Amino acid sequence: MRWTLKPKPPQETVTALAKALNVEEFVATLLVQRGITTFEEAKAFFRPSLEHLHDPYLMKDMDKAIARIENAISANENILVFGDYDVDGTTAVSLVSSYLRSFYPNVATYIPDRYDEGYGVSFKGIDFAEDNDFTLIIALDCGIKSIDHVAYAKNKGIDFVICDHHRPGDTLPDAVAILDPKRDDCSYPYDELCGCGIGFKLIQALGANRNQTVTDLTEYLDLVAAAIAADIVPMTGENRVLAHFGLQVINSNPRPGIKAIIHQLKKQTLDITDVVFIIAPRINAAGRIKHGNHAVELLTEFDFEQAQQFASEIEAYNAERKDLDKYITKEALQQIIENDETERFTTVVYQEDWHKGVIGIVASRLIETYYRPTLVFTKSGDKYAASARSVKGFDVYNALESCAEHLEQFGGHMYAAGMTLKEENYELFKNAFENEVKQTIPPELLIPEITIDSEIDFNDITPKLIRILKQFEPFGPQNMTPVFLTKNVKDTGYGKPMGKEDEHIRLFVKQNHSAGVAAIGFNLGAKLEITSHQKTFQAVYCIDENEWNGSVTTQLRLKDIKA
């Protein structure tokens, strides 16, 4: 692990903020590192309000989108709500369709089949719309590059309203309206919304025509929070407000589908991490293993008993997904060793029977063992298809672009991408990709990095600090859980290994004359020796609260330790 201490922000800014908020300077430092420099910004950060959400009509084309949808409703047209099969797509489709159906019956949903149609707007979906007399398609979390598809639909008399958050190409589709804050000609104040977030802005604007305020629409925010968590968008601005209130809905009055997922878990209160690791994978499992329609059925079901039935089916898909991902990861690791590829700059593996729905997860798993850009291929029809994942700081999309001559098609972004190629080009591509990464990746990027917010002493960990840190939630990109460094740490002699294979450690640590505090280190079992015989060491950790038998105690979640 590389430990990197964040640069200290300007001292005068930190001092002024600490004074204005009446907090310690290292707390003010945490805030300035997150772009919060004034009392007003801190107030907005610590007290999210629905009033902080922007007027949806500030988004380019919102007026055109609303006019077309209202015309469709007036003329009794059939509306098809179309979205991708991942969490962002299925939650967005569930949100917009269930809102429209609350006052208009002629609404149906369409999720493309991952294996048959692939990602985004499909010709098959447009044919379905034509066959069933749909004259308006609302595309969510996709469509910004669907130039040919939108033209194909237009020839059939079908209009498109596109709600997307991906970066547009040089040419935009010929749609009635394109809602995408990443458009160069869109001056909307916040451009990091996810697809479901754009869907929420759409219903916010539709609601205004029905004398509904944002408060009237909060019941939909459980879906938005799930999408924000799953899509790993920045936890800033509107996303933070939507996630904050969405979590309140999840924990107080979630829709039956989400309630049914939580009901199976026997967990009382969920935070954003639970949404990422518990709710999102289950919604995703439907599209990975079976079909994304199952997720939409679950999320739009109003009868709790029926929702429980759907949830138990999705739980089975998720269990199958876990088994597949574990089994394929094991086979892939074996392949790397057998092919003597442990010392390469990249991981590129292929097996024809690997399940296409989990190869992206497997790529992420392989990075846990071999920290380097990773591609996992499987057979898809007569082609090879892959999911790519990257390491922090390295643009895998650019690397693929440099090898494009060997690829049939590819798409994605800096850290994740997908591609297909012909069988005969596999080895050529594999070598070209290895050479490209070898020549362009800085060596330090091949070592995992822990970014540290601040160095503190254990005496700084007070009940007041823990209360303040709780108000930093919900955490996510650009507002990650604060990571602290403390030096001259000693275990008091209670250190012991944990886990089936002693892969984790549990310590009780002190620093100088501080009170002792419990610490747990997942996957740090091999480092227990560093803490033995009261040797001093340095620790990098997050501060957690551990609830056990009704009592709450402070606990350090160790990320790494060094002698």
Side-chain angles (χ1 to χ4, degrees), residues 230-472:
D231 228 49
I232 318 182
V233 287
M235 195 62 79
T236 57
E238 280 195 309
N239 281 342
R240 196 160 176 278
V241 175
L242 293 166
H244 173 86
F245 288 98
L247 275 170
Q248 287 185 2
V249 177
I250 286 170
N251 284 313
S252 60
N253 189 27
R255 66 196 46 247
I258 288 178
K259 187 180 177 182
I261 293 175
I262 299 167
H263 191 70
Q264 293 179 321
L265 303 168
K266 311 286 188 284
K267 194 165 197 273
Q268 292 302 307
T269 305
L270 275 67
D271 60 20
I272 205 76
T273 307
D274 296 320
V275 178
V276 172
F277 291 106
I278 295 172
I279 294 179
R282 284 163 173 80
I283 296 172
N284 233 339
R288 289 187 184 282
I289 303 299
K290 202 80 172 172
H291 199 290
N293 280 337
H294 294 276
V296 174
E297 281 178 345
L298 171 73
L299 297 173
T300 55
E301 179 55 59
F302 286 103
D303 179 72
F304 183 59
E305 280 187 25
Q306 185 60 57
Q308 283 184 298
Q309 177 61 40
F310 289 146
S312 65
E313 287 169 17
I314 278 181
E315 191 63 38
Y317 299 146
N318 194 46
E320 186 181 342
R321 188 269 305 163
K322 280 183 187 170
D323 289 344
L324 279 167
D325 124 37
K326 200 179 288 181
Y327 175 71
I328 295 169
T329 300
K330 192 175 174 184
E331 287 195 330
L333 288 168
Q334 189 79 30
Q335 195 180 112
I336 292 165
I337 292 164
E338 284 173 3
N339 294 345
D340 197 23
E341 293 177 341
T342 56
E343 300 301 317
R344 287 167 66 97
F345 285 77
T346 63
T347 297
V348 181
V349 287
Y350 161 76
Q351 195 156 300
E352 68 174 76
D353 61 349
W354 285 343
H355 196 292
K356 195 178 171 188
V358 299
I359 56 176
I361 300 173
V362 171
S364 298
R365 295 264 188 268
L366 295 179
I367 286 175
E368 291 169 14
T369 305
Y370 298 103
Y371 192 76
R372 58 202 189 187
T374 297
L375 277 75
V376 180
F377 278 91
T378 186
K379 195 86 180 272
S380 179
D382 59 349
K383 304 261 174 64
Y384 284 16
S387 275
R389 295 291 183 269
S390 193
V391 296
K392 187 178 173 184
F394 184 75
D395 194 326
V396 74
Y397 183 87
N398 284 351
L400 291 174
E401 209 163 28
S402 301
C403 309
E405 62 186 296
H406 305 297
L407 299 172
E408 289 292 287
Q409 58 185 57
F410 70 100
H413 52 79
M414 183 169 178
Y415 291 119
M419 74 222 69
T420 56
L421 50 70
K422 289 178 179 170
E423 184 177 344
E424 59 267 28
N425 288 335
Y426 174 71
E427 288 298 336
L428 291 168
F429 167 77
K430 185 172 176 175
N431 293 330
F433 185 67
E434 169 72 12
N435 289 334
E436 174 63 23
V437 174
K438 189 176 181 178
Q439 287 166 21
T440 57
I441 195 166
E444 66 272 15
L445 295 192
L446 294 167
I447 303 165
E449 179 186 38
I450 295 176
T451 307
I452 300 160
D453 290 83
S454 184
E455 181 180 341
I456 64 171
D457 292 332
F458 283 166
N459 286 329
D460 295 320
I461 303 173
T462 61
K464 181 185 175 184
L465 173 65
I466 292 167
R467 280 198 307 273
I468 292 170
L469 292 182
K470 271 189 170 175
Q471 293 175 60
F472 276 52

Side-chain angles (χ1 to χ4, degrees), residues 69 103 172 513:
I69 293 167
F103 57 85
L172 293 175
H513 302 295

Side-chain angles (χ1 to χ4, degrees), residues 13 16-17 31-32 35-39 41-42:
T13 309
L17 188 63
L31 291 167
V32 177
I36 296 150
T37 58
T38 66
F39 179 85
E41 287 169 349

Side-chain angles (χ1 to χ4, degrees), residues 80-296:
L80 187 64
V81 183
F82 188 109
D84 189 29
Y85 40 70
D86 66 4
V87 179
D88 195 14
T90 53
T91 52
V93 166
S94 301
L95 182 147
V96 172
S97 65
S98 58
Y99 176 74
L100 287 172
R101 282 176 185 148
S102 69
F103 57 85
Y104 182 65
N106 303 352
V107 178
T109 62
Y110 191 98
I111 303 288
D113 185 282
R114 178 189 285 265
Y115 307 104
D116 181 32
E117 296 163 82
Y119 168 80
V121 178
S122 66
F123 292 113
K124 191 173 179 178
I126 294 165
D127 290 341
F128 171 86
E130 182 188 31
D131 293 344
N132 292 278
D133 298 322
F134 290 96
T135 44
L136 175 62
I137 295 176
I138 301 173
L140 294 143
D141 190 35
C142 60
I144 195 66
K145 290 188 175 177
S146 303
I147 294 163
D148 294 344
H149 296 89
V150 172
Y152 179 75
K154 197 167 188 179
N155 283 336
K156 295 176 178 293
I158 300 168
D159 285 336
F160 258 89
V161 167
I162 292 170
C163 308
D164 205 347
H165 69 119
H166 297 100
R167 203 164 289 285
D170 296 333
T171 309
L172 293 175
D174 186 16
V176 171
I178 298 173
L179 307 179
D180 188 340
K182 291 194 174 77
R183 285 176 63 166
D184 289 338
D185 58 351
C186 181
S187 55
Y188 189 73
Y190 189 72
D191 65 359
E192 294 294 352
L193 291 165
C194 61
C196 190
I198 310 269
F200 185 78
K201 301 310 292 187
L202 182 73
I203 72 163
Q204 199 185 333
L206 283 165
N209 288 356
R210 287 157 183 78
N211 297 317
Q212 291 172 311
T213 65
V214 178
T215 310
D216 298 319
L217 303 174
T218 50
E219 66 185 272
Y220 297 94
L221 291 181
D222 51 358
L223 292 170
V224 184
I228 287 168
D231 228 49
I232 318 182
V233 287
M235 195 62 79
T236 57
E238 280 195 309
N239 281 342
R240 196 160 176 278
V241 175
L242 293 166
H244 173 86
F245 288 98
L247 275 170
Q248 287 185 2
V249 177
I250 286 170
N251 284 313
S252 60
N253 189 27
R255 66 196 46 247
I258 288 178
K259 187 180 177 182
I261 293 175
I262 299 167
H263 191 70
Q264 293 179 321
L265 303 168
K266 311 286 188 284
K267 194 165 197 273
Q268 292 302 307
T269 305
L270 275 67
D271 60 20
I272 205 76
T273 307
D274 296 320
V275 178
V276 172
F277 291 106
I278 295 172
I279 294 179
R282 284 163 173 80
I283 296 172
N284 233 339
R288 289 187 184 282
I289 303 299
K290 202 80 172 172
H291 199 290
N293 280 337
H294 294 276
V296 174

